[in-house]
Amino acid sequence: MEQAQEAQGSLPRTAAATTPQNPWPLRVLSEKLKQHIENSPESWVEGQLLEANVRNGHAYLTLRDVDVDYSFSVTVWASVMRSLDTPPEVGSRVVARVKPSFYAKTGRLSLNASDLRPVGLGDLLARLERLRRSLFDEGLFDPARKRALPLLPGRIGLITGRDSDAEKDVVRNATLRWPAVAFDIRNTAVQGVNAVGEVIAALRALDANEDVEVIIIARGGGALEDLLPFSSEELVRAVAACTTPVISAIGHEADRPILDDVADVRASTPTDAAKRVVPDLAEELANLAQARNRLDRAVRANVDRETQRISALRARPVLANPETMVQGRREDVVRLARRSTLAMRTSLARGHDSIAHLRAQVRALSPQQTLDRGYAVVQLDSGDIVRSAADAPEGSGIQVRLARGQLSATVTHSHTPEEGNTP
């Protein structure tokens, strides 16, 4: 015993201090792990029961995570089992108060449950509603984020269960509506722990494909528990991050999964999704024929209306007898020409009379006329006109201009009348 203690005392105190020359015995590691693990506090966990074996009153369960493929063994002792209202059932969701337990001899880690409670429908709905409100407040459901569906997608991505009725409904109804429709189908799990991961992987692959113009996620309804993957926060965020429009076609009216809120379009059923994603060829052909008929009627009515307008214009006198308008203008030109000629002649006559009158006036005032009446103009030799006797003193030479001819003389006598007397 003392030798064992001495050997124990010579062992490294920590795992980091071990070496190839001074290792720990496996039991030391097991005991230290057991001590560390079992010092962990109790915690509440949630999962889905995969297995439930009851032996001698004890229950040996396998609890799996609801979103990913993680599982753990859980032991419920008989004393705890007797306190439960209902025994655990395979497939149900439960919450358990557990404490880790490590069996050192085999290195087996398990959980011991001191309480086990089933998760009721009300609890699930309350959790989903809290998550829905949280994502709404974050803006993931904002209508401004939603993208419009293409009018006629070249290729449709479809995520659904393998050989499911949802797949058949979408493909059949879409093909009936538009025979040339093309699909890129990705079959995934649509319930259970693998559903979220597989749907997200298929979603991202289709979103990365440039040929896919719209993505449908379809499932033909089911119980609330079966539809929980489509309310997964991870899937909801993956849909919100897509650049390709997404249609949710889960087909559950009572309790809609959160996927319906984040998707760009919500379809009530897979069949409804097929009707929304492609137009109806027969309906489009009928609409085209109707549009052609409307266009034909509009063209004919327009042609008839313009024909009537042309006929009305041709029936007007100005177009029926266009020479009438020319004749009227010709008569106007002749009349105006006559008026112009008359006005010009009248103006010329008046001008001629005015000139004759002015000529008579000028002649009447002409010095020659005065001379013709017997008067004469007396000028000094210098050319100045003699107006007074004082202007021509005796001995001055003068020139006398008569009506006809001119005389030269010398003043021999000059008489100037007194002021105020008439000469």
Side-chain angles (χ1 to χ4, degrees):
M1 185 67 177
E2 292 177 357
Q3 293 177 351
Q5 291 178 349
E6 290 177 0
Q8 181 73 20
S10 63
L11 295 176
R13 298 178 60 86
T14 63
T18 59
T19 65
Q21 293 76 26
N22 192 14
W24 272 351
L26 185 59
R27 67 176 183 278
V28 175
L29 177 61
S30 298
E31 291 171 355
K32 288 184 177 294
L33 286 176
K34 179 178 178 65
Q35 181 181 5
H36 176 75
I37 290 173
E38 294 187 353
N39 282 336
S40 299
E42 290 185 327
S43 60
W44 286 95
V45 296
E46 180 182 0
Q48 184 180 21
L49 290 180
L50 293 183
E51 297 178 0
N53 297 322
V54 180
R55 297 194 302 269
N56 299 326
H58 308 301
Y60 302 96
L61 313 177
T62 299
L63 190 64
R64 183 173 61 181
D65 189 274
V66 295
D67 292 326
V68 296
D69 194 13
Y70 291 174
S71 61
F72 230 107
S73 297
V74 179
T75 302
V76 185
W77 303 119
S79 58
V80 177
M81 289 290 293
R82 287 192 294 269
S83 64
L84 299 179
D85 295 333
T86 57
E89 296 181 0
V90 174
S92 62
R93 291 172 63 124
V94 298
V95 292
R97 187 177 184 182
V98 299
K99 183 178 178 60
S101 174
F102 185 77
Y103 189 56
K105 288 186 178 182
T106 60
R108 183 173 179 271
L109 179 65
S110 63
L111 301 174
N112 290 333
S114 59
D115 195 356
L116 188 70
R117 302 177 186 179
V119 177
L121 182 60
D123 294 332
L124 289 176
L125 292 175
R127 293 182 190 178
L128 293 180
E129 189 59 31
R130 285 195 299 270
L131 178 58
R132 195 189 305 271
R133 285 198 302 268
S134 175
L135 296 175
F136 174 82
D137 294 339
E138 192 175 332
L140 293 187
F141 305 157
D142 189 349
R145 293 174 54 92
K146 298 186 182 298
R147 295 166 291 266
L149 299 182
L151 177 62
L152 183 59
R155 183 170 293 274
I156 301 170
L158 175 60
I159 302 174
T160 186
R162 185 179 302 278
D163 196 28
S164 63
D165 291 338
E167 176 183 345
K168 296 174 183 177
D169 287 344
V170 172
V171 174
R172 181 177 62 252
N173 286 281
T175 303
L176 288 174
R177 291 174 64 84
W178 197 268
V181 65
F183 282 94
D184 187 345
I185 302 176
R186 303 297 174 97
N187 295 122
T188 66
V190 291
Q191 68 182 55
V193 295
N194 297 324
V196 174
E198 292 184 12
V199 171
I200 291 176
L203 180 68
R204 290 172 177 169
L206 292 174
D207 189 39
N209 188 348
E210 296 182 355
D211 294 334
V212 174
E213 299 182 37
V214 63
I215 300 173
I216 301 175
I217 302 177
R219 176 193 160 95
L224 175 62
E225 294 82 354
D226 297 333
L227 301 181
L228 288 177
F230 299 102
S231 293
S232 166
E233 181 177 358
E234 186 179 1
L235 176 58
V236 169
R237 293 189 181 278
V239 171
C242 276
T243 59
T244 306
V246 176
I247 300 177
S248 173
I250 305 306
H252 194 271
E253 291 290 343
D255 302 301
R256 298 194 311 168
I258 301 178
L259 176 63
D260 285 354
D261 297 318
V262 74
D264 298 291
V265 174
R266 174 189 176 271
S268 58
T269 61
T271 301
D272 183 37
K275 293 180 179 180
R276 288 171 176 265
V277 76
V278 292
D280 188 348
L281 179 60
E283 183 179 346
E284 294 301 318
L285 290 175
N287 292 337
L288 182 60
Q290 185 178 4
R292 283 178 174 175
N293 291 333
R294 288 199 302 267
L295 181 61
D296 183 67
R297 289 195 300 270
V299 171
R300 291 181 181 277
N302 192 31
V303 171
D304 292 342
R305 183 169 57 253
E306 295 303 320
T307 301
Q308 294 175 1
R309 289 182 59 186
I310 292 174
S311 299
L313 290 174
R314 294 179 63 184
R316 293 181 180 181
V318 68
L319 293 180
N321 298 300
E323 65 274 7
T324 302
M325 182 178 64
V326 177
Q327 181 65 26
R329 301 289 81 78
R330 187 182 69 81
E331 292 174 355
D332 291 342
V333 171
V334 172
R335 183 174 62 255
L336 291 174
R338 289 175 179 175
R339 289 176 58 184
S340 299
T341 302
L342 179 61
M344 182 177 63
R345 289 177 178 176
T346 302
S347 180
L348 288 175
R350 289 178 180 176
H352 184 272
D353 293 342
S354 178
I355 291 172
H357 179 68
L358 291 175
R359 182 184 293 120
Q361 287 182 339
V362 170
R363 286 179 176 176
L365 297 175
S366 173
Q368 185 64 41
Q369 288 291 100
T370 303
L371 295 176
D372 289 341
R373 290 197 302 270
Y375 291 94
V377 177
V378 181
Q379 296 176 295
L380 296 174
D381 290 339
S382 61
D384 295 334
I385 296 176
V386 178
R387 291 181 175 82
S388 173
D391 294 338
E394 293 181 4
S396 301
I398 60 175
Q399 301 291 330
V400 180
R401 184 176 180 181
L402 303 175
R404 288 178 290 279
Q406 185 173 339
L407 299 176
S408 297
T410 302
V411 178
T412 60
H413 178 72
S414 176
H415 174 73
T416 300
E418 293 180 2
E419 185 178 356
N421 294 332
T422 301

